[in-house]
């Protein structure tokens, strides 16, 4: 299992706090869907770029490893 570096843990905490803040500012489910759509699109762009640079197998491996590390 891969452990996150201190810097990666800090990045994770900052992003989680920012997302939680944005969720708290949503007035209804429609706002939440807008936020979720933006996050989903951003994630797709990041994953697509990574896969183009390193390949689909490398993407699948790193995502699986990071999921284990962040639990």
């Amino acid at each position: 299992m891969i452990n996150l570096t201190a810097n990666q843990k800090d990045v994770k905490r900052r992003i989680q706090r920012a997302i939680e803040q944005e969720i708290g500012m949503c007035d209804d489910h429609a706002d939440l869907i807008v936020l979720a759509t933006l996050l989903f699109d951003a994630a797709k762009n990041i994953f697509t770029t990574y896969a183009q640079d390193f390949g689909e197998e490398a993407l699948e491996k790193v995502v699986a490893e990071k999921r284990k590390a962040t639990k």
Side-chain angles (χ1 to χ4, degrees), residues 18-34:
I19 291 170
E20 289 168 4
Q21 182 179 3
E22 289 299 325
I23 289 171
M25 293 176 12
C26 291
D27 293 328
D28 54 25
H29 286 91
D31 291 351
L32 289 169
I33 294 298
V34 169

Side-chain angles (χ1 to χ4, degrees), residues 2 50 55-67:
I2 293 176
Y50 190 94
E56 289 288 334
E57 285 185 25
L59 173 61
E60 290 174 16
K61 182 180 177 186
V62 75
V63 168
E65 290 173 351
K66 289 300 178 186
R67 279 187 177 149

Side-chain angles (χ1 to χ4, degrees):
M1 181 163 92
I2 293 176
N3 293 320
L4 296 177
T5 66
N7 185 54
Q8 289 169 328
K9 288 178 183 178
D10 183 52
V11 168
K12 180 183 173 190
R13 278 190 292 272
R14 285 188 294 115
I15 292 170
Q16 284 178 326
R17 275 188 251 132
I19 291 170
E20 289 168 4
Q21 182 179 3
E22 289 299 325
I23 289 171
M25 293 176 12
C26 291
D27 293 328
D28 54 25
H29 286 91
D31 291 351
L32 289 169
I33 294 298
V34 169
L35 176 59
T37 301
L38 289 169
L39 293 170
F40 180 77
D41 288 342
K44 281 192 322 187
N45 289 335
I46 293 166
F47 291 140
T48 298
T49 302
Y50 190 94
Q52 288 172 345
D53 291 345
F54 301 103
E56 289 288 334
E57 285 185 25
L59 173 61
E60 290 174 16
K61 182 180 177 186
V62 75
V63 168
E65 290 173 351
K66 289 300 178 186
R67 279 187 177 149
K68 289 179 187 176
T70 59
K71 287 184 179 183

